[in-house]
Amino acid sequence: MEKIVKQKEPLVTHIYTADPSAHVFDAKIYVYPSHDLDEDIESNDNGDQYMMEDYHVLSMDDLNSPCVDNGEALHMKDIPWVSKQMWAPDAAYKNNTYYLYFPARDKDDIFRIGVATSSSPTGPFTAQKEPIPGSFSIDPAVLVDDDNRAYIYFGGLWGGQLEKWQTGSFNPDGEGPAATEPAIGPRVAELSDDMLTFKEAPTEISIVDEEGNPILAGDEDRRYFEGPWMHKYNGNYYLSYSTGTTHSIVYAVGKDPKGPFVFKGKILTPVVGWTTHHSIVQFKGKWYLFYHDSSLSGGRDNKRCVKFTELKYNEDGTIQTIDPYK
Ligand code: FUB
């Protein structure tokens, strides 16, 4: 049986890392995390404590190998449109190119999503000079589907500004729906063949309960908050995400990459620290959950560390809930 020596330990301890997007490229594991600064900044609901400036790519030959920090892959000083806050990234491979998708605030303090390219999974990445036209909010996650079409999922409440886009343009005073109204959903758009633009205007994803009723904004145990991830299992599309204020990773399942998705349950119970953010990847026939907590800093929200653990399905395709501390 494969021994997993790094299970539930921080992948690296020499820097703070968060929001791990894990991928298998050329039979190796690459993790694209946020790089938290080693600064003690007071937390607020706007996320001003997350002042990240660059990205490092982590890699492992397999799950028992040492985790390598491949150094700085992209820094905000090299991206003309960015003012601050390089938040949760994701990566994709297509057209013999590696793409790094990342959210950051532009010079007007509005979150946009940028894309950078490299011939290597570890970078360095060269960013496009402008954000993706029509992009907004945070936490991009990209699925390159089996038919080679690619989809980008994104959006986050509160500091992620998704409430401010409900009319289709940025409203600085925009607020979320009443508790009894349908919750705001994440957004999805198909990407153009060159992976650098949206092929279409993003649409809102519908997440419903088993009876087909929309999950409501007041249902904080189930409603979407931030950190979408999309993976496929047995031909079904699994949309997983953070519930934010209730600190869980949950999931919903659908038949189409754009949904609708039926809420199914909880993947990860709360971790140490306010945020929770994850990815799911298959490697050598097993499935793994990459996630973060704040254990390395003794609980500082903005000083997190990336970990992984095995994820298991039941026979009916549901996912077994993981308690990260058992
Ligand atoms: O790391 C900054 C933000 O915190 C991410 O974009 C969110 O998903 C949350 O983890």
Side-chain angles (χ1 to χ4, degrees):
M1 202 173 82
E2 189 184 3
K3 195 176 156 222
I4 300 174
V5 294
K6 285 190 171 295
Q7 191 169 6
K8 299 187 180 185
E9 295 297 320
L11 280 188
V12 292
T13 55
H14 66 295
I15 55 173
Y16 290 109
T17 55
D19 309 324
S21 291
H23 291 274
V24 177
F25 296 133
D26 276 338
K28 271 179 72 168
I29 296 169
Y30 294 89
V31 183
Y32 299 83
S34 299
H35 174 198
D36 284 350
L37 296 182
D38 187 3
E39 285 178 8
D40 293 332
I41 309 170
E42 202 174 315
S43 294
N44 63 29
D45 289 350
N46 199 39
D48 293 338
Q49 63 275 28
Y50 303 111
M51 292 300 289
M52 298 83 99
E53 297 178 350
D54 67 357
Y55 298 111
H56 287 217
V57 182
L58 309 178
S59 59
M60 289 181 286
D61 287 341
D62 62 46
L63 294 171
N64 293 305
S65 323
C67 183
V68 175
D69 174 1
N70 295 279
E72 189 177 281
L74 179 67
H75 193 283
M76 66 179 223
K77 69 175 165 30
D78 298 319
I79 314 170
W81 63 268
V82 168
S83 67
K84 61 182 175 187
Q85 294 188 308
M86 305 278 278
W87 283 13
D90 191 21
Y93 177 71
K94 195 175 157 173
N95 308 325
N96 291 317
T97 302
Y98 294 91
Y99 299 87
L100 184 70
Y101 297 87
F102 59 91
R105 285 188 194 252
D106 67 13
K107 309 280 185 200
D108 295 321
D109 240 12
I110 296 174
F111 267 110
R112 305 281 181 185
I113 295 170
V115 56
T117 59
S118 177
S119 57
S120 162
T122 55
F125 287 87
T126 304
Q128 298 291 296
K129 299 221 170 332
E130 300 286 342
I132 296 174
S135 69
F136 56 91
S137 199
I138 61 165
D139 291 359
V142 172
L143 172 79
V144 180
D145 209 345
D146 303 329
D147 60 6
N148 222 27
R149 291 167 75 176
Y151 302 88
I152 186 165
Y153 302 84
F154 62 93
L157 304 184
W158 294 15
Q161 302 179 333
L162 191 55
E163 296 94 330
K164 304 184 189 303
W165 287 95
Q166 286 305 92
T167 58
S169 58
F170 186 76
N171 171 8
D173 302 319
E175 290 187 355
T180 51
E181 297 291 318
I184 297 175
R187 302 300 202 266
V188 60
E190 187 172 347
L191 287 166
S192 56
D193 293 338
D194 67 6
M195 301 287 276
L196 300 178
T197 61
F198 294 163
K199 203 172 197 166
E200 58 193 1
T203 52
E204 186 170 357
I205 288 175
S206 166
I207 303 171
V208 300
D209 65 17
E210 298 281 355
E211 281 75 51
N213 303 309
I215 300 295
L216 301 181
D219 186 351
E220 296 187 23
D221 285 328
R222 298 192 294 176
R223 66 96 174 79
Y224 178 81
F225 189 89
E226 64 184 3
W229 187 257
M230 178 59 64
H231 77 280
K232 281 179 89 173
Y233 178 75
N234 283 349
N236 289 316
Y237 293 85
Y238 284 61
L239 171 70
S240 42
Y241 55 91
S242 165
T243 61
T245 49
T246 51
H247 313 289
S248 293
I249 299 292
V250 297
Y251 73 108
V253 178
K255 296 275 178 209
D256 186 283
K258 295 183 180 176
F261 297 93
V262 179
F263 186 89
K264 290 293 175 186
K266 195 174 285 193
I267 296 176
L268 184 68
T269 57
V271 296
V272 172
W274 200 96
T275 65
T276 184
H277 191 122
H278 74 299
S279 61
I280 294 168
V281 68
Q282 188 178 26
F283 184 69
K284 293 187 176 171
K286 289 186 172 182
W287 288 86
Y288 296 93
L289 176 79
F290 284 73
Y291 63 100
H292 72 224
D293 70 15
S294 294
S295 58
L296 186 61
S297 65
R300 300 292 310 196
D301 285 341
N302 65 308
K303 299 198 324 192
R304 301 163 288 181
C305 59
V306 167
K307 302 178 168 185
F308 74 86
T309 190
E310 191 175 353
L311 175 145
K312 291 184 178 156
Y313 298 88
N314 297 308
E315 279 198 357
D316 62 1
T318 54
I319 293 175
Q320 295 178 8
T321 304
I322 295 165
D323 177 335
Y325 304 109
K326 276 195 181 147

